[in-house]
Amino acid sequence: MSGTGGTGRASVAGSGWRAGSGGRGALLQVGLNGSRDAADGTAVPMSPRALAEAALAAVAAGAGEVLVHPRTPCGRESLSPRVVGPLLEELRGAGVRVPLAVPASIAAEPDPAGRRKRVRDWVVLPDRATVSFAEADAGELGSALLTRGVAVDAVVPLGGGAGPEPLARFLAWAPTDHRRVRLVAELARADPALVAGLRWLPPVPVVLYGREGAAWPVLRLASRCGAGARIGVGEVLHLPDGRPAGSNAELVAAAVEITAGAAPAGVRESAPAGGAGR
């Protein structure tokens, strides 16, 4: 990534860009559904109305952003404007006023050119979109999103055999507007050494998250270093004590309890990229 200026260090502290509800520490993003489906239990919201209700409850519990995977009525992930637009309108119409993010992923559209076309065809825009830098066309897709005015969460897996390619691909990407880019590191385990290495990356905000057994340890690690974090049924179906979570709001409330008061003194908060309700 070029043209970032500064010291060349990733902004780990204060990385959330936006404090969670009530200003409690760094950003907490809720992953409403992820790759889950009805077989994963009643905690997974499925319909647009259920997703809107889940989003409102999660925000009330302390989430500062919402990540939602748009799906067709038959449950398939989709980037179609006829699926993405109505879902965003449902959430915003229900009163969700925090930034909304959607994934621009291979699960929703396997063809790289098809992903970019879908993004160009969107009529109703999310505030942010996640782009997996494990995928070869990530830079082109990210640039297409920035051109549309959609901020980019560059997802880079670290550890767990991910290999160096995703991070190298992110570092080689040179967007024209780096101010609307955030590094989202998916950690296979809560390894402080993986996070320490981020201090030499370009000075962009950082969000950390893990999946399943890594979800809560990584959230605690994010809290200790002042990074943003993500939690929700898209990442984990159990509370920190091992009990099944009844909802996204329960997971967010548990995360808020863990992270409350944990942000380092003097952490800089900066404005979110892209306003909600667009």
Side-chain angles (χ1 to χ4, degrees):
M1 180 182 287
S2 63
T4 53
T7 63
R9 296 187 177 185
S11 177
V12 176
S15 61
W17 288 17
R18 174 188 176 119
S21 177
R24 294 170 290 195
L27 170 92
L28 181 61
Q29 183 187 67
V30 60
L32 287 183
N33 53 352
S35 61
R36 310 286 189 188
D37 58 28
D40 290 302
T42 58
V44 183
M46 297 298 297
S47 69
R49 171 52 57 182
L51 287 163
E53 292 172 353
L56 287 170
V59 171
E65 280 187 9
V66 170
L67 171 65
V68 59
H69 289 230
R71 284 189 170 80
T72 65
C74 65
R76 188 180 69 84
E77 289 193 50
S78 176
L79 295 179
S80 167
R82 291 179 292 182
V83 176
V84 174
L87 177 57
L88 294 175
E89 289 177 330
E90 180 77 32
L91 268 65
R92 288 172 178 151
V96 180
R97 296 290 178 256
V98 299
L100 302 178
V102 301
S105 68
I106 194 169
E109 174 55 65
D111 177 57
R115 283 197 291 277
R116 295 192 293 275
K117 184 179 186 305
R118 290 297 198 191
V119 165
R120 291 194 296 268
D121 289 345
W122 282 348
V123 176
V124 180
L125 297 177
D127 299 291
R128 314 191 66 88
T130 65
V131 175
S132 173
F133 274 71
E135 298 170 10
D137 73 319
E140 293 175 89
L141 181 58
S143 296
L145 286 159
L146 291 174
T147 298
R148 291 299 320 271
V150 178
V152 171
D153 278 351
V155 179
V156 174
L158 297 176
E165 291 84 4
L167 183 56
R169 191 173 289 125
F170 171 71
L171 292 173
W173 184 38
T176 57
D177 188 1
H178 66 272
R179 295 168 300 175
R180 296 177 63 80
V181 174
R182 188 165 62 187
L183 173 61
V184 179
E186 179 184 350
L187 302 186
R189 62 189 184 282
D191 185 350
L194 293 174
V195 178
L198 299 179
R199 70 185 183 274
W200 302 114
L201 299 188
V204 295
V206 175
V207 174
L208 308 178
Y209 79 102
R211 297 183 186 276
E212 307 303 351
W216 292 110
V218 170
L219 184 134
R220 292 186 179 93
L221 176 60
S223 178
R224 290 197 299 272
C225 69
R230 183 199 297 170
I231 204 70
V233 301
E235 287 69 52
V236 64
L237 293 171
H238 291 83
L239 295 165
D241 61 7
R243 289 180 296 121
S247 66
N248 279 289
E250 281 191 29
L251 292 167
V252 169
V256 168
E257 184 175 355
I258 290 171
T259 60
V267 165
R268 174 182 58 82
E269 291 180 7
S270 49
R278 185 172 56 215

